[in-house]
Amino acid sequence: MSTQQEQGPADDGLFRTKTVEQSIRDTEEPEHALKKSLSAWDLTVFGVGVIIGTGIFVLTGKVAKENAGPATALAFVAAGIVCALAALCYAEFASTVPVAGSAYTFAYASIGELPAWIIGWDLVLEFALGTAVVAVGWSGYVRSLMDNVDWHLPNTLQGPDVGGGTFDILAFLLVLVLTAILVVGMKLSARITAVVVAIKVTVVMIVIIAGLFFIVGDNYSPFIPPAVTPEGGSGWDAPLVQLIFGYEPTNFGVMGIFTAASVVFFAFIGFDVVATAAEETKLPQRDMPRGILGSLLICTILYVAVAIVVTGMQHYSELSVSAPLADAFKSVGHPFYAGVISFGAAVGLTTVCLILLLGQTRVFFAMSRDGLLPRFFSVTHPRFRTPYRPTILLGVVIAIVAGFTSINELATLVNIGTLFAFVVVAIGVMVLRRTRPDLHRAFRTPWVPFLPILSIAASVWLMLNLPGETWFRFAVWMLIGIVVYFLYGRKHSRLGQLGKDATF
């Protein structure tokens, strides 16, 4: 079918769209093509590998003790539903536009170049910051295990989060090693991830099965504790919904479950990274929906089961905030399980870093291939067929950030960045349904436009529960991105050059 959309950009302005046909043709250029080596199983493993991480090992205790009590299981269900709504939208796009870049590529095909740039810029921040945050968390677990065998690093090499520390050598080295693995190839990354995910899921199953024998029914009473108004933050520390509408989120009670959901949402971050690997999937039309939805379903079931078991083992008011799973077993006289859990957490977080770094490099690669970033970064390795240039650049930068920076306060930026991507993808599904009804869609998001609108509403609600200072930082990053676009991206856009009769 020959249409204006297939011949060139829909317009010559900020909202010119890059058609699905153009995006797919780009993947066939030998110098800029990625190797197709992933199956539905690989994608599901990637999804489980990145989702099960800091969230399940840490946040369970925090939200149970401070927000929802035993009803934390329901908070995981609520957060999982928000992610499922977004996942259905991602699945349609990933199977229709099987091109690297995830939400960036989807936005370019539906909404336009400037929105695509904004979401790409957002994803670069989200994945980079997420990688650094998890690397620092991994370092903490490893140092704890080293302490158990009386091995100690010099204080100056333990990072700024440790008193007197300067440089986190463990976090720095982890990111560099994972960067090398990603350069060598996706199949090697998938094999390593599969082994580590098997260890991680085994640890989670140990928590669930062993913990069942230590559940005390009285610990579930009351399942939904009475609502209380938290002391909360003041000024920009308060949730944006409170600053704008005067609404004060409650801890505990029914509304406390939704407050908790905005916190445990961090535990689900990562399933959207699966979409960044669409171009490297053998049968993306079939396997992308399976990988995205399958990994999300598996992790939601595991999260709910862990929450039920842990709040049954120990009363929610006594749960540890820093290591709830391990400390719950210590409280019932089984420190061996606590050690196994700490080991599983340390091993498991490596895959989280690996896949977040993978996601960022693919988005950066896609933006570079479109000319919005220097084309130098869109050349693949002649042997491994991986985007080695952006992988090395970003890996070194993130390693340095993880080594020198204390970034706990910035972790909420990962949440807001992900939710913003969810909103853009949901809008894109509705727009593309109207502008390109002729496209073959191997997977179709059900109940359009109702479901995408519901996804947007749910994501915005969780965003409003984030602190005002997070919104401010996010706005500053977006403003910098817009400046970069007008100074470089718009002038060098290959889609813009196509409108001037250049070869795309």
Side-chain angles (χ1 to χ4, degrees):
M1 178 180 291
S2 177
T3 67
Q4 180 189 18
Q5 288 174 304
E6 289 179 87
Q7 294 171 357
D11 61 72
D12 195 35
L14 302 178
F15 295 92
R16 55 196 176 203
T17 56
K18 180 181 179 183
T19 65
V20 174
E21 292 81 4
Q22 289 169 340
S23 296
I24 294 176
R25 280 197 296 270
D26 279 354
T27 67
E28 298 169 354
E29 298 177 357
E31 190 180 27
H32 305 284
L34 299 173
K35 183 179 180 180
K36 297 181 181 295
S37 59
L38 302 179
S39 64
W41 172 253
D42 293 326
L43 295 172
T44 302
V45 169
F46 272 139
V48 174
V50 73
I51 296 173
I52 296 181
T54 305
I56 195 170
F57 291 113
V58 176
L59 290 182
T60 306
K62 176 179 173 60
V63 297
K65 191 170 186 175
E66 301 176 2
N67 301 107
T72 295
L74 299 181
F76 276 117
V77 171
I81 290 174
V82 174
C83 291
L85 294 172
L88 290 168
C89 298
Y90 269 88
E92 174 170 325
F93 259 129
S95 61
T96 307
V97 194
V99 178
S102 185
Y104 159 76
T105 299
F106 306 156
Y108 213 162
S110 56
I111 306 175
E113 185 172 278
L114 179 59
W117 166 268
I118 290 174
I119 194 61
W121 189 253
D122 162 60
L123 290 174
V124 167
L125 173 70
E126 173 197 336
F127 294 148
L129 188 59
T131 304
V133 168
V134 176
V136 173
W138 174 88
S139 175
Y141 274 109
V142 172
R143 288 197 305 270
S144 176
L145 290 172
M146 291 171 65
D147 289 341
N148 290 341
V149 294
D150 204 28
W151 291 355
H152 306 286
L153 287 172
N155 210 38
T156 55
L157 297 180
Q158 295 190 32
D161 285 324
V162 178
T166 304
F167 182 73
D168 194 332
I169 186 65
L170 294 177
F172 175 79
L173 292 176
L174 172 68
V175 177
L176 290 185
V177 170
L178 296 180
T179 297
I181 292 173
L182 286 175
V183 168
V184 171
M186 281 292 287
K187 198 61 185 178
L188 174 62
S189 304
R191 289 169 179 166
I192 293 174
T193 300
V195 173
V196 176
V197 167
I199 296 172
K200 184 159 52 175
V201 172
T202 299
V203 171
V204 173
M205 293 304 297
I206 288 174
V207 172
I208 296 170
I209 296 173
L212 288 173
F213 295 95
F214 304 107
I215 289 178
V216 177
D218 290 344
N219 288 335
Y220 292 129
S221 181
F223 189 75
I224 302 179
V228 297
T229 301
E231 296 180 5
S234 59
W236 287 105
D237 290 335
L240 192 67
V241 67
Q242 180 178 342
L243 295 174
I244 297 178
F245 303 108
Y247 165 78
E248 295 189 13
T250 63
N251 286 339
F252 307 113
V254 174
M255 293 307 297
I257 296 173
F258 296 101
T259 302
S262 67
V263 178
V264 300
F265 177 80
F266 183 85
F268 287 92
I269 286 176
F271 82 84
D272 55 321
V273 179
V274 176
T276 66
E279 191 174 326
E280 294 158 277
T281 303
K282 295 176 183 177
L283 298 172
Q285 290 78 8
R286 183 197 69 185
D287 293 342
M288 288 305 301
R290 293 181 180 180
I292 292 173
L293 297 172
S295 59
L296 183 61
L297 176 63
I298 291 170
C299 293
T300 301
I301 293 173
L302 292 176
Y303 279 6
V304 171
V306 167
I308 291 174
V309 168
V310 171
T311 54
M313 290 177 62
Q314 190 175 19
H315 194 267
Y316 72 88
S317 62
E318 299 174 355
L319 282 172
S320 162
V321 173
S322 60
L325 277 62
D327 290 347
F329 278 98
K330 288 181 181 178
S331 72
V332 294
H334 286 273
F336 169 77
Y337 290 115
V340 171
I341 292 169
S342 295
F343 171 76
V347 172
L349 291 180
T350 58
T351 60
V352 180
C353 287
L354 176 70
I355 301 166
L356 286 174
L357 185 58
L358 160 73
Q360 188 198 35
T361 58
R362 270 47 180 181
V363 172
F364 199 95
F365 169 80
M367 296 173 73
S368 171
R369 190 165 57 185
D370 290 333
L372 300 181
L373 291 171
R375 289 270 289 171
F376 171 82
F377 294 108
S378 66
V379 176
T380 55
H381 193 281
R383 176 183 175 187
F384 302 125
R385 311 308 303 170
T386 57
Y388 68 105
R389 291 174 177 174
T391 300
I392 294 172
L393 170 69
L394 296 171
V396 171
V397 170
I398 295 172
I400 293 172
V401 170
F404 281 107
T405 311
S406 177
I407 42 186
N408 291 334
E409 294 181 0
L410 299 181
T412 50
L413 277 173
V414 182
N415 279 16
I416 197 171
T418 302
L419 289 165
F420 180 66
F422 286 3
V423 171
V424 171
V425 170
I427 293 173
V429 165
M430 294 187 291
V431 171
L432 202 62
R433 282 285 187 96
R434 292 183 63 87
T435 58
R436 294 298 306 274
D438 58 299
L439 282 176
H440 171 67
R441 292 168 169 84
F443 178 89
R444 298 177 67 88
T445 303
W447 307 313
V448 173
F450 172 75
L451 190 145
I453 291 174
L454 186 60
S455 176
I456 293 170
S459 297
V460 169
W461 172 251
L462 291 187
M463 291 172 74
L464 290 174
N465 278 277
L466 295 171
E469 61 182 357
T470 298
W471 281 84
F472 175 75
R473 290 166 176 159
F474 182 67
V476 170
W477 177 256
M478 290 293 103
L479 182 61
I480 294 173
I482 291 174
V483 171
V484 172
Y485 171 74
F486 281 103
L487 290 180
Y488 182 90
R490 191 182 186 199
K491 297 177 182 178
H492 296 84
S493 166
R494 296 182 72 206
L495 189 60
Q497 294 300 317
L498 178 64
K500 301 175 184 177
D501 295 326
T503 302
F504 195 90

